[in-house]
Amino acid sequence: MSVRALLLLIKSSVPCGVLVIALLCPALLPGQMVSPSIDRPDEPFSYFAKPTDEIGVMDAEGAAEITPEGYLRNGYGELMFFAGPQMQPTSVRVRTLENGRLPIIHYEFEQDGILYRFTMFAARLARNPGELHLKTSFPYPGTIQSPPPGYKVANPIVDFIRVEMKNTGTQANRAIFATGMRYDGPNTTGQPHGDNRYTRPAQGQFPGDYRQIGELFNSNWMSSFDDAHFIRNNRILYCFPAGYAVRHLLLREDSLNIQAPEVERPTQLHTTETTPTGIVVYSRLLQPGESRTLDFKMPLIPTADPFSIADIDQTDFDEAHAQVAAFWNGIFAQGMQIELPETKPVDTFYASLAWDLIARDHIGDDYIQNVNKLHYHAFFLRDGADIVHSYDVTGYPLFAKQDLEFFAKKQLPDGNFLSQEQQYDGWGEAVWAYAQHYRITHDRQFAAWALPQIARAVDWLKKARAADPLHIMPASNVRDNEYVSGHLTGYNFLALDGLRVAIQMAKETGHADLAQNWQTEYEDYHQAFFKVLDAQCAAHDGYIPPALDGQQGGYDWGNLLSVVPEPTLDAHDPRVTATLKATQAKYAEGIMTYADGKFLHDYLGFKNTMTETIRGDQEQALHEFYAELVHTSSTQAGFEFNIRPWGDRDFGNNLAPHGWFAAEYRTLLRTMLVREDGDTLHLLSVISPDWIGAGKTIAVRQAPTNFGTAAFTLEQPSAGQAILHLSPDFTAPPQQIVVHLPWFVELKSATADGKPANAHKGALTVAPSIRTIEMRWTVKPDAPGLSYDRAVADYKAEYARRYRLLMHTAPGAQNANQK
C-alpha cells in the first residue's frame, strides 16, 4: 500500500472534488527541519516530531487515536486536556508504553511546579447483567434497578484515563487541570479532518473496505452535564470524577452573553469543529509532595443505554488496568520469546504484535486484518499476507488461520485473488500465505480447505498467462507502490513463490496430481519470466528493475523480492548483489527511500535487510536494523512514508502505528535469530556487538519453525567464552543446524557436546542432536560499537549538524543539506 492506496481510502469517504498528493504530502519548504531541542536527553528518543498512537482492544470495531498533543480522538470527538491558571491546552510529544511493550500509554509534563502524569488504555467491559445496578442520575434520576431478564449487556469499549497531579516543590502549590471535548483538531492541509488525523465517519462498501465508526459534525448538537458525565444529544461522551471546581459548556463564555447557560439543561452551543466544549475544571491546593488522582472514562461509542452507563461507572480504573495488563501479557507469553541485552529491540518486537492485533476487526464470522484502526482501517492482501506470515513464524497460528479465512472472500469467481483493482500481487500473496501457513503448522484440515482455492487460482493463472504477450503475470496500471504501468517484477516473484510452496503442500498432503500439474505450470512460468527478467537485468547492468517492459521510471518495491519471502534467486546471484547495491545507494538516514528519494520509507527496506541476513552481510544488516529502530516512536511504532530525508520528521496524515512495519519488524528479528533454508536451520545469523560480553544472554524460546519448535540460550560466563544451549522440540528434525559466528569476533576453539568443532565460512555446522556448543573467541580490535543507543546518538548528532547548517549558511548550502 502506498500513496495511491491512501488517496483511495480518503476519496472513498470524502464528498469533495479532486484530491491531489500535495494535500496528503505537503511539500516541505526549502530546508524545513525541526529544532533538535525536541530530543531532550532526559527522555526516551522518539523519532517523530508529531507522533500518533492508538489504544484499542483486539478485534474491536474501532480504536482511539492518541493525537500528537496527547488527546484521545475517536469517531465522535476529541478529549482535550488543559492545565494551569490560564487553562492552556496541553501538548506532550514523548510517550511510553507500560513495561515498554503493553498498549498502555504513559506520559507526563511539569507546569508551574506541578507534575502531571497520564495513563491511558482501552478495555472492553464484561460485567454480567446481575452485577449491574443503576446508581447514576442519568437518564432516570433517582432509580436503582437491575437489568430485566434476558437483557444483553453491551460490553462497551471504554478508554480509561488517569491523571495524577503531584506537587514537586517545597511549598504549597495549586494544581489546576481541566478536560473538554472538541470534534476535531486544527487543519492546515485542506484535508477533511485535523492535521495528523484521519477521515471519519466512513461506511465501508464491502468487508475489508475503509471504514470508521463515528458521526459528522453538527453545530446544532445539544450539550449538557450531569454530576458525572458530559452529554451530547442524550448520549454520554465522557465521564469525570467528583470533586470538580466548576463545569462549563464552553472553555470561555461569550462576553456578550451576560447570563451563562445552565450546564445541566441541554443547550445548543453553535460551535465549530475545533471549539472545546464540556469543560470540567479541577483546582486543588497541594502540599509539598502531595498528589491527587483523577480518573476519566470515554466510551468508544457514546451511549444512552442506562445499563451500559452503569457498567462504565461501576468499572474501577485499577480493576480494568489489571485486566488489560494481564490480557496482553498472556498474549505475549503464548508465542516466540526473545531475550536480548538491549531493551528497545525486544520491546518493539512485542509491542508490534499488539499493534497488529489491535488493527484487526472481528465482524460476524470474519477476522479482518487491517493495517491500523486509523487512516488504514482497511484490508489489503499484500499487507495481510506478511502480517499472517509474522503470526505464523512467531507462534500465533490461530490468529494467522483466522485472518486467512477472510482471504477466501477476496477470491473472485474466475479464481484470481484480488483485494484492490489490478493489484495482481494479491494472487501470489494469497497462495503463498496459504501454503506457508501449512508448511509451518502441518495443519491438514487447513490444507484440505485451502487446496481447492489454490487449484482455482492456478486455473486463472494459466488462462491469464496464456493471454499475456509475455506469458507472465498480466500488466497493470494501478500506479501504486512501483508507480509504473506494465508487467511488474514483484508480482511475478510473488506468484512463483506462492506456486512453489503450494506444490510442496500438495505433495505432502497426498495430492500428487495437483503437485504435478502445478509443477508443470511452475516450470513453464519460470522459463517465461526469466526470459524477460534476464533481458531487463542485462539492460540495467544487472539491476532488477521494478517493471519488465523496458520502460523508464518506476519505484523500487517488488524488485526487492528475489530472495524473500522465498528464494527465487540465490542470495549471492549477481543480480541480487547489483540490486542491493543500487537500492542501498538510495538510502537516506540509514533506511530506504521512496519516490526517487523524495520520502523516507520505514518498512520497504526490510526486504533488503532480510536478504542481507541470508547472504551473511551481517554488518550491513545490523546497521539497517538499528536505523529502522531509530525511525520509530518511543511507543515502538513505525510509519510508512511521507517524511522527507533530514526534514521535519512529520508524517502528516500517514499515521503510526503501521501494521505492515510491525509485522516485518517481527519477522526480521526472528530471521536474524532463527531461520530456515531448505533442510537447514540457521541460528544467530545476525547479532549485535552490544549483545556480546561477560554476563550477557541471548535467548529464544517457543520459536516455531518448519522443523518444530526451536529454543536456545547463549550464555557468556566471561568475556571470551560463550556457551550455546540448544533445547529444540523437533517434529521433523533438520538435516543440520548452522550457528553463525559474529563477524566481529575471532573464534579460538569450539566444541559440540564436548567434541571439537571447526568453523567454515564464519559458521559452525552441527547435527540436530547436538545440545551444547562451547566457543572461545576474542572480539576483534576494529569491532564497531554498534547499538541502538549509539545509532540514536549518531542520528541526533548528524541532524543537529544539518540544522546548524540550515540556520547559519546561505541558501545554496541549505539545499545541499537535504541530500
Side-chain angles (χ1 to χ4, degrees):
M1 155 183 38
S2 65
V3 176
R4 182 179 183 273
L6 187 53
L7 286 172
L8 288 175
L9 287 180
I10 297 172
K11 189 179 293 185
S12 67
S13 56
V14 180
C16 61
V18 176
L19 290 172
V20 294
I21 291 177
L23 293 178
L24 177 65
C25 314
L28 290 174
L29 297 174
Q32 188 170 337
M33 299 180 74
V34 64
S35 172
S37 64
I38 68 170
D39 299 319
R40 288 172 39 183
D42 61 335
E43 292 181 329
F45 179 73
S46 191
Y47 176 79
F48 310 122
K50 297 179 180 180
T52 57
D53 294 291
E54 61 181 339
I55 53 174
V57 173
M58 185 174 79
D59 297 340
E61 59 182 325
E65 175 188 353
I66 308 299
T67 72
E69 302 89 347
Y71 306 150
L72 277 77
R73 182 182 190 265
N74 60 27
Y76 302 86
E78 196 166 294
L79 182 63
M80 302 178 65
F81 308 112
F82 307 84
Q86 293 185 320
M87 301 287 288
Q88 291 298 311
T90 66
S91 183
V92 182
R93 187 180 73 89
V94 175
R95 283 95 76 159
T96 59
L97 300 181
E98 189 159 310
N99 298 334
R101 62 190 66 170
L102 296 173
I104 300 172
I105 302 286
H106 294 274
Y107 67 79
E108 63 183 45
F109 66 92
E110 188 165 353
Q111 182 171 326
D112 301 324
I114 302 296
L115 180 65
Y116 298 85
R117 288 197 179 104
F118 290 70
T119 302
M120 304 173 176
F121 61 88
R124 186 189 294 276
L125 308 190
R127 292 182 182 274
N128 296 319
E131 298 177 303
L132 295 179
H133 301 281
L134 295 184
K135 297 180 181 179
T136 175
S137 61
F138 175 78
Y140 308 118
T143 60
I144 298 179
Q145 64 187 71
S146 296
Y151 176 84
K152 184 178 180 181
V153 179
N155 299 139
I157 295 171
V158 178
D159 296 327
F160 289 79
I161 307 98
R162 170 167 286 179
V163 182
E164 179 188 3
M165 306 180 296
K166 182 177 182 180
N167 181 358
T168 59
T170 58
Q171 60 183 3
N173 199 0
R174 184 168 297 278
I176 301 174
F177 181 79
T179 52
M181 289 289 298
R182 68 184 180 191
Y183 181 74
D184 212 346
N187 181 314
T188 62
T189 65
Q191 288 292 329
H193 52 73
D195 294 346
N196 301 96
R197 288 157 172 85
Y198 58 90
T199 299
R200 86 287 203 247
Q203 183 65 48
Q205 301 303 306
F206 50 84
D209 193 20
Y210 178 73
R211 60 186 297 270
Q212 290 290 352
I213 56 176
E215 62 187 3
L216 293 171
F217 175 75
N218 189 338
S219 62
N220 295 319
W221 279 325
M222 304 295 289
S223 301
S224 62
F225 283 103
D226 66 12
D227 282 342
H229 311 98
F230 176 56
I231 304 159
R232 191 171 75 196
N233 285 13
N234 294 320
R235 300 169 300 168
I236 65 165
L237 264 67
Y238 79 96
C239 315
F240 50 87
Y244 53 82
V246 67
R247 298 166 296 168
H248 293 296
L249 290 177
L250 294 170
L251 184 62
R252 292 176 177 82
E253 305 290 356
D254 187 346
S255 60
L256 298 179
N257 188 356
I258 298 176
Q259 185 173 359
E262 297 180 20
V263 297
E264 296 190 1
R265 176 184 298 173
T267 303
Q268 199 173 77
L269 299 177
H270 301 293
T271 60
T272 68
E273 295 185 359
T274 59
T275 305
T277 64
I279 310 300
V280 183
V281 182
Y282 296 84
S283 178
R284 176 75 174 266
L285 187 67
L286 299 177
Q287 298 302 314
E290 183 183 2
S291 298
R292 184 181 180 187
T293 297
L294 304 171
D295 291 341
F296 302 87
K297 305 168 189 175
M298 184 170 72
L300 182 67
I301 301 175
T303 181
D305 174 33
F307 297 105
S308 291
I309 296 170
D311 196 1
I312 296 169
D313 288 343
Q314 293 169 31
T315 300
D316 175 72
F317 179 97
D318 293 318
E319 172 192 358
H321 177 270
Q323 291 174 351
V324 168
F327 172 82
W328 285 108
N329 280 324
I331 291 290
F332 295 156
Q334 292 175 23
M336 182 178 178
Q337 305 297 297
I338 292 178
E339 178 185 345
L340 299 174
E342 282 187 299
T343 58
K344 175 70 175 184
V346 180
D347 285 340
T348 304
F349 179 81
Y350 288 105
S352 293
L353 176 63
W355 299 143
D356 276 332
L357 291 175
I358 289 173
R360 292 205 322 176
D361 287 338
H362 185 192
I363 302 174
D365 294 332
D366 294 330
Y367 289 89
I368 304 173
Q369 183 64 64
N370 306 296
V371 181
N372 56 33
K373 287 285 174 64
L374 308 177
H375 70 302
Y376 272 142
H377 192 167
F379 173 79
F380 296 79
L381 280 168
R382 52 180 53 158
D383 304 55
D386 277 339
I387 295 173
V388 162
H389 178 243
S390 173
Y391 291 151
D392 272 326
V393 298
T394 60
Y396 297 91
L398 176 60
F399 297 151
K401 184 178 180 180
Q402 290 170 339
D403 284 0
L404 288 171
E405 288 170 350
F406 183 71
F407 280 41
K409 296 196 172 182
K410 297 303 174 182
Q411 186 168 33
L412 304 180
D414 63 6
N416 190 20
F417 282 96
L418 202 68
S419 59
Q420 281 76 32
E421 184 180 357
Q422 292 192 60
Q423 290 187 3
Y424 298 131
D425 59 331
W427 191 98
E429 297 279 18
V431 172
W432 171 73
Y434 282 172
Q436 68 81 33
H437 178 73
Y438 170 78
R439 180 174 60 187
I440 200 166
T441 64
H442 306 289
D443 183 344
R444 287 180 172 267
Q445 184 178 2
F446 173 82
W449 173 83
L451 282 169
Q453 298 175 52
I454 297 175
R456 295 196 301 274
V458 175
D459 288 343
W460 175 88
L461 179 66
K462 290 179 180 180
K463 295 175 184 177
R465 289 204 314 112
D468 184 79
L470 300 180
H471 303 299
I472 59 177
M473 190 63 73
S476 62
N477 187 25
V478 295
R479 298 288 172 171
D480 190 17
N481 291 351
E482 289 88 349
Y483 219 77
V484 64
S485 61
H487 294 84
L488 300 185
T489 310
Y491 289 12
N492 292 278
F493 278 136
L494 289 166
L496 289 169
D497 288 348
L499 193 53
R500 185 166 58 254
V501 185
I503 293 167
Q504 177 185 344
M505 177 169 67
K507 289 179 179 178
E508 291 184 7
T509 54
H511 295 82
D513 55 338
L514 289 179
Q516 182 56 54
N517 182 298
W518 297 349
Q519 182 67 40
T520 300
E521 172 64 12
Y522 178 84
E523 291 172 0
D524 186 72
Y525 187 0
H526 188 277
Q527 182 179 8
F529 171 59
F530 271 88
K531 178 180 179 181
V532 180
L533 182 66
D534 289 346
Q536 289 303 314
C537 288
H540 290 83
D541 297 324
Y543 162 75
I544 302 172
L548 299 167
D549 304 284
Q551 65 272 60
Q552 297 296 316
Y555 303 145
D556 294 299
W557 196 275
N559 54 322
L560 308 184
L561 301 177
S562 61
V563 177
V564 293
E566 304 292 333
T568 302
L569 289 175
D570 182 84
H572 294 280
D573 187 289
R575 291 164 292 189
V576 175
T577 303
T579 305
L580 284 173
K581 183 178 180 180
T583 52
Q584 289 165 358
K586 301 175 186 178
Y587 286 10
E589 300 186 17
I591 66 174
M592 186 62 180
T593 58
Y594 180 71
D596 291 333
K598 184 177 294 184
F599 301 109
L600 298 174
H601 201 292
D602 208 20
Y603 63 79
L604 178 56
F606 277 130
K607 302 301 186 184
N608 273 1
T609 312
M610 283 188 266
T611 299
E612 293 150 5
T613 299
I614 294 167
R615 285 164 56 94
D617 299 340
Q618 295 184 32
E619 186 171 5
Q620 176 66 26
L622 191 64
H623 275 289
E624 294 178 17
F625 173 74
Y626 281 131
E628 292 288 357
L629 285 173
V630 167
H631 290 81
T632 61
S633 67
S634 49
T635 53
Q636 333 304 359
F639 71 110
E640 186 182 37
F641 80 120
N642 200 22
I643 296 179
R644 304 272 182 153
W646 305 108
D648 64 0
R649 293 160 57 179
D650 179 10
F651 46 56
N653 299 320
N654 198 285
L655 309 177
H658 196 284
W660 204 349
F661 172 93
E664 290 284 76
Y665 175 80
R666 283 177 62 83
T667 300
L668 171 60
L669 184 54
R670 189 261 193 189
T671 301
M672 291 166 59
L673 299 174
V674 179
R675 64 181 176 87
E676 307 91 336
D677 182 7
D679 292 329
T680 299
L681 178 65
H682 292 260
L683 304 179
L684 302 171
S685 294
V686 176
I687 60 176
S688 171
D690 200 53
W691 307 347
I692 296 299
K696 295 183 177 182
T697 298
I698 301 172
V700 169
R701 296 179 294 278
Q702 301 173 200
T705 74
N706 300 342
F707 314 110
T709 303
F712 66 80
T713 301
L714 182 71
E715 296 178 341
Q716 300 174 78
S718 62
Q721 183 184 23
I723 304 174
L724 182 64
H725 301 282
L726 304 172
S727 51
D729 183 13
F730 292 135
T731 54
Q735 291 296 313
Q736 58 188 7
I737 298 175
V738 175
V739 179
H740 294 265
L741 301 171
W743 86 95
F744 51 85
V745 305
E746 182 177 346
L747 184 69
K748 298 299 184 181
S749 65
T751 61
D753 283 352
K755 297 180 179 180
N758 297 316
H760 177 66
K761 293 184 178 180
L764 294 167
T765 300
V766 300
S769 59
I770 294 296
R771 291 296 174 264
T772 302
I773 300 174
E774 185 169 355
M775 295 165 281
R776 300 277 180 171
W777 60 36
T778 57
V779 176
K780 296 176 181 178
D782 59 350
L786 295 179
S787 68
Y788 170 71
D789 288 341
R790 175 67 177 270
V792 168
D794 289 347
Y795 171 79
K796 289 164 65 174
E798 177 61 15
Y799 192 90
R801 185 192 70 80
R802 290 170 179 260
Y803 185 79
R804 291 192 299 271
L805 185 66
L806 167 69
M807 300 302 293
H808 302 296
T809 58
Q814 294 178 21
N815 293 336
N817 192 36
Q818 300 305 306
K819 297 179 181 179

